[in-house]
Amino acid sequence: MPNLLNAIGRTNLRLLALLAVLCLAAAPLVGDRLFAPAGLRSMAFQLPELGLLSLAMMVALLSGGLDLSIIATANLSALAMAAILKAIPDGTSGALLLAWEAAALIGGLATAAIVGALNGTLIGYLRVSPILATLGTMTLVKGLAIGLTRGGVVSEFPPEILFLGGGTVGGVPMPLLLFGLVALGLGILLTRTPFGVVVALMGSNQQAVRFSGINTRAALLRIYVVTALVAATAGFVMLARFNSANASYGESYLLVTILACVLGGISPTGGFGRVGGLVLALVVLQLISTACVLLDLSQFLTLAIWGGILLAVSLIAAVRDQLRPVLATLRGPLIRPAAPRGREEPSC
């Protein structure tokens, strides 16, 4: 049992229990509509956008930082991709069309990498606070995106691109497959590579990492580039789903990504957290959102429920941490030490 607990994790067990409670509570209210094929399909198409942005925020939080520019980065990457796609000459087809589409994807990723490198330089080399650096970058990038497009929408893309946002493979929506691939890849990167070790150490004690000989400046640069690249994938999914790109898409997701990360067990101060916990937290939030839609409840009530759950989970964790020393003190006198070998324990 302890091995199973360690494998799953306490946070994941709590989230699974919360998920079971929500399913039982929602069943009599919405009937089988929530878990009908249409309901599951709707959730599968909606979750990846917030999920990919939350994965991007997770990387920054694990390192002890924060990235407020992920939404702006996603939109600018989508607009860069859209600009290349709109430049495809009429009548282009076959391998040449695929080459143009690949160039669009690379262009979007390159745009995100530049924004991430800017954040990493400000935070790692110039020692600017992550909040101030990414807030400034967010404003700069959004202003640039609005200025280049004059606030308009760029739309009408090739069918191959739209397939990434609306197609299915074996009945599974493509956005969900993309989210799964990114989550799996990021999980491996953070737990099975030196980069992941450095991210966790940076979040735990950046000063100690610096004294150990690791180049923390270069590490922060890489961390924020990875964060921006993950955010760019969210921009691609939104472009493909909506068949358009705009500088203001997904703005309501920013604070929700932080909520999802904290609910999923990602430490706000860095160093601790798992991708699996974040995925479960996203499922919980999506389940609540879909149930509220089916019940015709206000979107603001959904946000209130999300916030209430986060507060409840945080309160339970805080009370548990406060009671742990007290319980250990009370349990101590009840545990009688074993008698030394060769001597009998005195009887009462």
Side-chain angles (χ1 to χ4, degrees), residues 22 285 288 292 297 300-311:
L22 289 173
L285 295 179
I288 295 172
C292 288
L297 299 178
F300 300 104
L301 183 58
T302 303
L303 293 173
I305 295 173
W306 284 354
I309 289 178
L310 177 61
L311 289 175

Side-chain angles (χ1 to χ4, degrees), residues 105-124:
L105 289 170
I106 294 171
L109 290 173
T111 302
I114 292 171
V115 177
L118 176 60
N119 281 331
T121 301
L122 291 172
I123 297 168

Side-chain angles (χ1 to χ4, degrees), residues 193-247:
T193 67
F195 173 81
V197 175
V198 171
V199 171
L201 291 175
M202 291 282 289
S204 300
N205 192 329
Q206 189 172 141
Q207 192 72 13
V209 175
R210 186 179 299 114
F211 289 150
S212 69
I214 296 175
N215 188 340
T216 56
R217 294 179 174 181
L220 284 168
L221 180 63
R222 290 192 296 270
I223 286 167
Y224 281 92
V225 168
V226 170
T227 296
L229 291 175
V230 176
T233 61
F236 298 161
V237 170
M238 287 190 286
L239 176 147
R241 272 200 71 209
F242 305 145
N243 192 17
S244 62
N246 183 267

Side-chain angles (χ1 to χ4, degrees), residues 135-295:
L135 180 62
T137 306
M138 176 188 73
T139 307
L140 170 66
V141 170
K142 184 177 178 181
L144 182 63
I146 294 176
L148 291 175
T149 61
R150 297 183 179 180
V153 175
V154 183
S155 58
E156 300 300 326
F157 304 117
E160 295 83 1
I161 296 298
L162 300 182
F163 178 77
L164 296 176
T168 59
V169 176
V172 180
M174 269 303 296
L176 188 63
L177 285 176
L178 290 174
F179 169 68
L181 289 174
V182 174
L184 179 61
L186 195 59
I188 294 173
L189 183 67
L190 292 174
T191 59
R192 297 288 187 270
T193 67
F195 173 81
V197 175
V198 171
V199 171
L201 291 175
M202 291 282 289
S204 300
N205 192 329
Q206 189 172 141
Q207 192 72 13
V209 175
R210 186 179 299 114
F211 289 150
S212 69
I214 296 175
N215 188 340
T216 56
R217 294 179 174 181
L220 284 168
L221 180 63
R222 290 192 296 270
I223 286 167
Y224 281 92
V225 168
V226 170
T227 296
L229 291 175
V230 176
T233 61
F236 298 161
V237 170
M238 287 190 286
L239 176 147
R241 272 200 71 209
F242 305 145
N243 192 17
S244 62
N246 183 267
S248 301
Y249 283 165
E251 288 187 334
S252 62
Y253 284 148
L254 181 59
L255 295 181
V256 181
T257 61
I258 301 175
L259 183 151
C261 287
V262 176
L263 183 61
I266 312 301
S267 173
T269 57
F272 303 97
R274 297 183 180 182
V275 172
L278 175 58
V279 172
L280 285 175
L282 289 166
V283 173
V284 168
L285 295 179
Q286 185 60 58
L287 183 70
I288 295 172
S289 176
T290 304
C292 288
V293 170
L294 292 175
L295 292 171

